[in-house]
Amino acid sequence: MKVLNFFYENHPKFEVSYERKNQISKPNIIIKGPRFCGKKTLIFNFLSQFKASEILFLDLYDTRFEKQSLERLADFLNENLQIKILCLYNLDFIPNLEKIKIPIILSTNIKDLNINGFEELELDYFDFEEFISVSKKNLPINNLVGLFLQSGRSKFGEKNILLRQSFTLLELEILKYLALNLGQQISISKIFIELKKRLKTSKDSVYQAIKKLENTYVIYTLKHDEKKLQKIYFKDFGLRNNLCISKDFSHLFENLVLSELFKFKEDFFYNKYFNFYSQISKIAYISSPTLDIDLIKLRTKKILPKALELGIFHVIFITLSSEDSFFEQGVKFEVISFDKFSLGF
């Protein structure tokens, strides 16, 4: 029990930090989300209502932590009845919690880690509104959009060294390939053929690495609505700037738009007419950072038949600054700037 006692006596400061839109309302919950998305802050905000002596917080990624110490966890809690709540942070396996009688908070960056009896809360990186709130920079809104595009949604977009610390060589090569082909239709076979030119690997290894990147919230796979095609985007669009030097603003902006759609917790699809659309809400989104209104109106004539076919009656063009709104055969076409699009949710 020496390890458990060490972490109990050398606990972090459970202080309220910045607020997120998502909050923990009760324990017996597992918080899922990518690395550096703010899971610890969310947990500390909740734990701040307890006395430090009432909390046992175990960071399982701490190099001083020993997994076998969990075998004595129930005994340790029974000997320290002042502890009212347990938190297992950075969980990457299913623990045996049957003998634990106090409320529990779990956190993981693994999407398919499911534990019976625990409510799930998925936490994403900052959206644009939260970025503005946390950055506290008194800048014009256009400057804030530019700053957001430059810095990204996580530390991965700020500190290049984290990439080498967080990913294997194969994973990094996959991410570099995805960065260079952001917004393009991609197949695992094509990725494998390209990677095989630079390092020794197998198709199965590439497949497993991509699945892991998806399962740990690093990438997001967008599927075609009819064909067996896919595009892969980053959960943090800022990753692209640290993975390649080529400029591709239109697809970076496209990834930015998608990141704002994650908050809807819906599955999105694409086709040659729409960058993203929801089969549930029947709303389609088109990323058009620099198209002027006249060109957008010309484009709507090609889009309209497909929108009517799919039962979509709201098509939103997201731009850098242009704005307009009009109807065609009962379909609302809305042109809106990114800042109003993101802050208006």
Side-chain angles (χ1 to χ4, degrees):
M1 296 189 199
K2 186 182 294 185
V3 172
L4 298 176
N5 194 63
F6 172 83
F7 282 95
Y8 176 58
E9 293 183 347
N10 296 274
H11 55 77
K13 292 183 178 179
F14 305 108
E15 298 176 336
V16 175
S17 186
Y18 53 82
E19 294 289 337
R20 296 295 304 270
K21 291 179 180 178
N22 288 317
Q23 295 293 327
I24 301 172
S25 58
K26 56 184 179 180
N28 292 339
I29 189 170
I30 179 167
I31 303 168
K32 296 183 174 183
R35 294 186 65 190
F36 309 119
C37 74
K39 296 188 293 295
K40 183 180 286 186
T41 295
L42 198 69
I43 292 168
F44 282 9
N45 285 356
F46 180 80
L47 294 179
S48 65
Q49 64 187 290
F50 295 87
K51 296 177 182 178
S53 61
E54 295 176 330
I55 304 166
L56 177 58
F57 180 89
L58 301 175
D59 184 349
L60 278 59
Y61 278 6
D62 192 306
T63 54
R64 298 165 296 181
F65 181 77
E66 297 176 6
K67 184 177 177 181
Q68 59 267 32
S69 65
L70 293 179
E71 296 173 6
R72 303 295 306 279
L73 181 57
D75 294 334
F76 181 80
L77 293 172
N78 287 334
E79 292 179 13
N80 294 272
L81 296 177
Q82 71 276 17
I83 298 176
K84 305 298 182 186
I85 189 164
L86 167 68
C87 178
L88 300 182
Y89 184 71
N90 280 325
L91 195 65
D92 58 6
F93 61 93
I94 298 177
N96 183 357
L97 301 172
E98 292 180 2
K99 297 181 180 179
I100 308 302
K101 305 302 181 183
I102 61 175
I104 306 171
I105 295 175
L106 307 175
S107 96
T108 184
N109 66 345
I110 302 174
K111 189 183 297 185
D112 65 0
L113 185 67
N114 301 309
I115 300 178
N116 291 335
F118 281 78
E119 184 178 324
E120 293 189 1
L121 171 61
E122 229 176 35
L123 184 67
D124 197 5
Y125 294 118
F126 289 148
D127 60 24
F128 183 56
E129 184 177 13
E130 289 176 313
F131 171 78
I132 293 174
S133 175
V134 172
S135 65
K136 297 180 180 178
K137 295 183 182 296
N138 189 23
L139 296 172
I141 193 69
N142 287 342
N143 293 59
L144 287 169
V145 172
L147 185 62
F148 192 41
L149 272 165
Q150 182 180 359
S151 61
R153 307 174 73 204
S154 76
K155 291 180 181 179
F156 284 131
E158 301 170 2
K159 300 177 181 178
N160 191 281
I161 192 171
L162 285 176
L163 294 174
R164 292 201 179 277
Q165 294 174 343
S166 304
F167 301 106
T168 66
L169 176 61
L170 175 58
E171 290 166 353
L172 272 177
E173 289 298 326
I174 290 171
L175 292 174
K176 287 179 182 179
Y177 180 86
L178 296 177
L180 287 167
N181 295 275
L182 190 65
Q184 305 295 326
Q185 290 182 161
I186 289 174
S187 70
I188 294 177
S189 295
K190 189 174 182 180
I191 296 175
F192 168 64
I193 291 170
E194 291 300 316
L195 293 185
K196 196 169 61 171
K197 298 174 184 177
R198 298 197 293 276
L199 71 164
K200 188 176 181 179
T201 187
S202 66
K203 191 172 182 180
D204 282 346
S205 297
V206 172
Y207 177 82
Q208 292 300 325
I210 290 174
K211 284 298 179 185
K212 179 187 173 185
L213 291 170
E214 187 173 25
N215 196 38
T216 52
Y217 300 94
V218 179
I219 59 175
Y220 176 86
T221 300
L222 184 74
K223 295 180 180 179
H224 194 281
D225 60 352
E226 294 178 348
K227 303 175 183 177
K228 289 185 177 180
L229 300 171
Q230 64 183 13
K231 297 180 180 182
I232 299 179
Y233 295 88
F234 296 121
K235 289 289 286 186
D236 173 17
F237 56 82
L239 265 174
R240 188 185 188 279
N241 295 333
N242 273 341
L243 289 165
C244 65
I245 59 174
S246 66
K247 303 297 181 183
D248 185 358
F249 180 75
S250 62
H251 286 116
L252 180 63
F253 188 81
E254 193 176 303
N255 203 154
L256 170 69
V257 170
L258 178 61
S259 72
E260 291 295 313
L261 297 178
F262 289 146
K263 67 187 75 174
F264 288 143
K265 308 291 184 184
E266 293 183 25
D267 290 326
F268 289 92
F269 299 87
Y270 78 96
N271 53 39
K272 72 175 184 177
Y273 301 95
F274 307 122
N275 292 125
F276 320 109
Y277 83 92
S278 167
Q279 296 177 337
I280 297 174
S281 61
K282 298 294 184 181
I283 301 177
Y285 305 87
I286 299 173
S287 171
S288 302
T290 57
L291 276 186
D292 61 31
I293 298 297
D294 290 337
L295 288 174
I296 288 175
K297 287 186 175 180
L298 284 174
R299 190 171 174 182
T300 60
K301 297 183 183 301
K302 297 179 180 180
I303 291 172
L304 182 59
K306 191 64 176 181
L308 292 171
E309 177 189 329
L310 294 174
I312 293 172
F313 290 93
H314 192 184
V315 178
I316 303 174
F317 288 83
I318 299 97
T319 71
L320 281 173
S321 58
S322 301
E323 295 185 17
D324 201 354
S325 181
F326 53 93
F327 285 85
E328 293 285 349
Q329 297 184 37
V331 178
K332 181 181 181 180
F333 290 94
E334 189 172 4
V335 184
I336 188 170
S337 61
F338 170 77
D339 57 287
K340 290 189 177 179
F341 164 72
S342 58
L343 298 178
F345 283 161

